[in-house]
């Protein structure tokens, strides 16, 4: 589409809507994209990012990443930092799938070793990691024990035999956001989530066996630091979140915020999807504590999935997972709100950062990332479509402009409904296998929704993040096997 006439080009990768673009804007809105990606942005991005710029307490700018597209309230790819004392918290700035995130796991196996076993691996992963709408996990929990999981996250997994100690070190915040309070979560939310630990779900969630080919390594030194050390090394990447639990937490508090936002706090917004409450209000703090429960459930969900992956590889290759080098590179979230310390003005301050379909990307030497990555910066995982591949990147010191945030994926260019009308899942499955990608999916319809042509070009998105100084390319990972919801 044609961008708004008011959109100003600040640099080759930075575009700005000034405060004069829309009444009520408190800060400008900035979009990170190349000229090609800007031309492909849907109109919803401009409408939504400028609405975000009107929220009370917002700092500097409302941001949108190169993979940006229309979402709920915030655009997908949206970022907003708030003053904790004067700003708001909004479920629309976090998303319904709270802590939807990415995890990347190494192996010491090569493509040559894995290829003869690929179908068996994918088939067993499809069996062991339930996928699709309403799928239930193999971990049996009572409601009370699930609430414990929601407060402890990956720590619960370690205690119960689903994690290695080093897994927690390689997970954002150690796999547990402190301050989670399960008393702030509804019984309906618990009922929707207690049987979903260890499941992929549906939509754009996937579990993928990938290869790091030598020709796709952009930074060999950083790749080695991240564990990519041999030609055609096989890795496993997966993408999922808090399932129905997080959705219900968001739904519950959206209704709460709609009931108090104007009546109690005198806050009006341009879009009801941006329903919010002052961060320091009782309602804001209750949601923050409940949101952390969904964050922790998602960490536990991904941790149990990793446990199942290790089991499958061990059974197929008759080797111990540790002997196959099945260590984590990193686990990073992309649907959260977090209090983080950043330099704002003349000193470092604690601010509340909403990241909606965008990924934390801390630079070298920053607190909060594993010591082994202090020189490289935080590993960043940007997932592409199941046909095109994904990327491992590293955070940069130059990311401070966006409070060290980068893109999270390809970004859709086509609605799920459009994709299902245009593509046939059965044909897509055959075509992908002919190209060397073996896929198991819970439904043909779900497969059609995720066709590569329904997404932006992942290479374009990642190039834009690097040109903008938000994160740098390390290696592109291409799929050979995929489990889809």
């Amino acid at each position: 589409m044609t961008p708004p006439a008011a959109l100003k080009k600040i640099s080759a990768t930075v575009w700005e809507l000034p405060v004069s673009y829309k009444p009520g804007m408190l800060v400008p809105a900035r979009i990170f994209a190349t000229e090609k990606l800007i031309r492909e942005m849907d109109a919803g991005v401009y409408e939504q990012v400028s609405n975000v710029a009107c929220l009370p307490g917002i700092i500097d700018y409302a941001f949108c990443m190169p993979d940006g597209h229309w979402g709920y309230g915030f655009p997908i790819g949206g970022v907003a930092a708030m003053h904790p004392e004067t700003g708001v918290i909004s479920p629309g700035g976090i998303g319904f799938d709270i802590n939807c995130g990415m995890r990347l796991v190494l192996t010491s196996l090569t493509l040559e070793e894995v290829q003869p076993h690929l179908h068996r691996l994918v088939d067993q992963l499809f069996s062991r990691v339930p996928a699709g709408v309403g799928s239930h996990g193999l971990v049996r929990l009572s409601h009370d024990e699930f609430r414990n999981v929601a407060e402890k996250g990956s720590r619960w997994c370690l205690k119960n035999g689903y994690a290695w100690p080093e897994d927690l070190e390689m997970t954002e915040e150690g796999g547990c956001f402190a301050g989670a309070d399960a008393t702030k979560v509804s019984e309906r939310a618990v009922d929707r989530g207690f049987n979903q630990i260890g499941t992929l779900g549906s939509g754009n969630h996937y579990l993928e066996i990938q290869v790091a080919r030598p020709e796709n390594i952009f930074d060999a030194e950083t790749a080695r630091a991240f564990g990519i050390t041999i030609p055609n090394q096989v890795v496993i990447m997966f993408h999922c979140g808090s399932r129905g639990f997080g959705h219900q937490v968001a739904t519950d508090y959206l209704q709460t915020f709609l009931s108090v936002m104007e009546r109690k706090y005198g806050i009006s917004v341009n879009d009801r999807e941006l329903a919010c409450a002052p961060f320091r209000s009782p309602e804001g703090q209750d949601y923050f504590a409940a949101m952390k429960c969904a964050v922790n459930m998602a960490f536990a969900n991904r941790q149990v999935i990793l446990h199942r992956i290790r089991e499958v590889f061990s059974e197929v290759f008759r080797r111990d997972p540790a002997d196959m080098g099945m260590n984590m590179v990193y686990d990073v979230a992309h649907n959260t709100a977090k209090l983080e310390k950043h330099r704002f003005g003349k000193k470092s301050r604690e601010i509340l950062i909403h990241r909606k379909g965008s990924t934390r990307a801390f630079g070298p030497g920053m607190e909060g990332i594993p010591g082994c990555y202090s020189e490289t910066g935080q590993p960043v995982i940007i997932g592409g479509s199941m046909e095109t591949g994904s990327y491992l990147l590293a955070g940069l010191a130059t990311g401070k402009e966006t409070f060290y945030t980068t893109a999270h994926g390809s970004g859709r260019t086509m609605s799920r409904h459009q994709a299902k009308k245009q593509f046939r899942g059965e044909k897509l499955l055959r075509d992908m296998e002919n190209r060397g990608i073996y896929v198991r999916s819970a439904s043909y319809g779900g497969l059609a929704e995720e066709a590569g042509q329904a997404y932006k070009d992942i290479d374009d998105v990642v190039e834009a993040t690097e040109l903008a100084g938000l994160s740098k390319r390390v290696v592109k990972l291409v799929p050979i096997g995929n489990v889809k919801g």
Side-chain angles (χ1 to χ4, degrees):
M1 65 155 287
T2 303
L7 187 70
K8 297 179 181 178
K9 185 175 182 179
I10 306 300
S11 72
T13 53
V14 180
W15 308 76
E16 182 173 299
L17 292 171
V19 292
S20 58
Y21 176 69
K22 179 180 290 183
M25 286 177 67
L26 302 173
V27 295
R30 284 200 163 181
I31 301 169
F32 292 84
T34 57
E35 202 146 342
K36 177 178 185 290
L37 288 172
I38 275 289
R39 289 198 302 269
E40 295 173 357
M41 289 281 176
D42 57 86
V45 167
Y46 304 109
E47 176 68 14
Q48 292 187 318
V49 76
S50 56
N51 285 341
V52 173
C54 301
L55 291 175
I58 191 168
I59 295 169
D60 280 355
Y61 302 95
F63 296 108
C64 187
M65 297 292 111
D67 54 337
H69 57 102
W70 179 87
Y72 184 96
F74 276 49
I76 308 297
V79 184
M82 302 287 180
H83 288 280
E85 304 306 324
T86 60
V88 297
I89 186 167
S90 173
I94 294 154
F96 283 91
D97 193 3
I98 297 167
N99 188 7
C100 188
M102 308 289 302
R103 184 171 293 208
L104 180 63
V105 184
L106 299 166
T107 78
S108 58
L109 303 170
T110 64
L111 175 61
E112 185 180 28
E113 292 173 288
V114 169
Q115 194 73 61
H117 306 281
L118 182 63
H119 281 225
R120 186 179 170 202
L121 283 168
V122 173
D123 288 345
Q124 288 195 207
L125 288 169
F126 183 72
S127 173
R128 203 71 62 86
V129 183
V133 177
S135 53
H136 294 168
L138 305 179
V139 177
R140 303 301 179 200
L141 298 173
S142 66
H143 281 209
D144 285 345
E145 186 64 6
F146 178 79
R147 289 179 183 273
N148 190 26
V149 174
E151 292 187 343
K152 301 293 176 53
S154 296
R155 297 176 190 171
W156 181 90
C157 296
L158 181 62
K159 182 179 178 181
N160 287 274
Y162 296 107
W164 299 350
E166 53 266 38
D167 294 341
L168 276 63
E169 183 185 357
M170 295 300 169
T171 304
E172 183 178 347
E173 298 296 327
C176 180
F177 275 25
D181 183 353
T183 68
K184 306 302 181 183
V185 172
S186 71
E187 190 63 24
R188 171 63 177 146
V190 172
D191 194 52
R192 290 188 65 181
F194 82 102
N195 56 8
Q196 294 188 324
I197 297 289
T199 64
L200 274 180
S202 58
N204 62 345
H205 296 158
Y206 63 83
L207 190 169
E208 204 162 72
I209 301 174
Q210 303 170 333
V211 180
R213 301 184 187 276
E215 63 269 25
N216 289 330
I217 292 177
F218 295 85
D219 183 335
E221 184 177 350
T222 304
R224 282 193 296 273
F226 288 170
I228 309 294
T229 59
I230 54 178
N232 294 319
Q233 186 170 344
V234 168
V235 299
I236 305 104
M237 178 183 291
F238 54 101
H239 173 218
C240 62
S242 53
R243 304 290 320 278
F245 180 59
H247 195 286
Q248 192 63 45
V249 168
T251 300
D252 290 342
Y253 280 94
L254 276 166
Q255 293 305 311
T256 297
F257 288 176
L258 283 168
S259 71
V260 300
M261 182 174 59
E262 292 190 59
R263 174 181 57 80
K264 187 174 178 180
Y265 296 112
I267 297 171
S268 60
V269 293
N270 293 336
D271 181 353
R272 284 171 57 87
E273 293 180 359
L274 289 174
C276 57
F279 177 63
R280 295 297 189 198
S281 69
E283 296 85 356
Q285 288 296 291
D286 284 354
Y287 170 63
F288 196 43
M291 181 215 72
K292 290 176 180 179
C293 287
V295 167
N296 293 342
M297 181 274 190
F299 281 139
N301 187 25
R302 293 198 289 274
Q303 186 58 54
V304 170
I305 289 173
L306 172 54
H307 180 75
R308 301 301 182 207
I309 292 168
R310 286 171 173 157
E311 285 181 336
V312 167
F313 270 73
S314 182
E315 289 168 12
V316 170
F317 289 97
R318 299 180 181 277
R319 293 168 63 186
D320 188 274
D323 181 52
M324 291 183 284
M326 299 190 72
N327 304 99
M328 281 178 57
V329 178
Y330 206 59
D331 180 304
V332 66
H334 51 235
N335 276 6
T336 65
K338 289 179 68 180
L339 284 170
E340 294 177 353
K341 281 191 174 180
H342 292 276
R343 181 161 289 280
F344 173 63
K346 295 182 179 180
K347 61 180 182 179
S348 180
R349 306 182 185 189
E350 193 172 62
I351 56 178
L352 178 71
I353 302 180
H354 293 71
R355 293 187 176 103
K356 163 78 169 287
S358 53
T359 301
R360 193 191 76 172
F362 280 4
M366 291 183 67
E367 291 183 18
I369 58 176
C372 60
Y373 299 141
S374 61
E375 293 187 10
T376 61
Q378 175 201 307
V380 173
I381 307 164
I382 297 185
S385 78
M386 60 188 176
E387 295 189 70
T388 58
S390 302
Y391 276 85
L392 175 62
L393 301 90
L396 295 169
T398 48
K400 62 184 178 182
E401 182 180 353
T402 59
F403 303 100
Y404 298 96
T405 308
T406 190
H408 89 302
S410 299
R412 294 193 74 93
T413 58
M414 188 182 297
S415 72
R416 298 187 186 282
H417 178 70
Q418 286 176 297
K420 285 177 79 170
K421 286 182 66 176
Q422 187 164 333
F423 306 107
R424 291 187 59 81
E426 301 96 317
K427 182 177 185 303
L428 188 58
L429 191 95
R430 291 193 300 270
D431 290 348
M432 290 178 67
E433 186 152 14
N434 288 336
R435 284 181 277 139
I437 307 170
Y438 178 55
V439 182
R440 290 294 307 273
S441 177
S443 73
Y444 286 130
L447 199 64
E449 291 177 355
E450 298 303 309
Q453 293 176 65
Y455 285 86
K456 299 180 186 185
D457 187 319
I458 185 67
D459 298 327
D460 290 345
V461 170
V462 170
E463 180 186 32
T465 70
E466 185 169 271
L467 290 172
L470 305 180
S471 51
K472 68 172 182 178
R473 291 172 289 187
V474 176
V475 57
K476 184 177 183 179
L477 302 164
V478 296
I480 56 171
N482 189 293
V483 174
K484 286 292 301 179

